[in-house]
Amino acid sequence: MAKTVIVKKTSLPDFLPHGWKKEVANTLGIHINTVTNALKAGKGSTYERIKFVAIKKWGNP
């Protein structure tokens, strides 16, 4: 029998705190410009990782 995993729906707040890009970049071990470029592109694996970290830190249940 398969195990069912329930994922809580979380969303980001309307405004993220000052310096959030730098904090996410340090957490992921990437440069802050990489965060900016991934956000401009709006897709890709790095973009998904950035979203995941931001939701984990500042997400609202």
Side-chain angles (χ1 to χ4, degrees), residues 8-34:
K8 294 181 180 177
K9 295 284 185 180
T10 56
S11 61
L12 287 172
D14 292 335
F15 297 100
L16 292 169
H18 179 73
W20 74 271
K21 286 183 192 175
K22 187 168 189 170
E23 196 168 333
V24 168
N26 287 336
T27 302
L28 293 174
I30 57 178
H31 197 274
I32 191 168
N33 289 349
T34 306

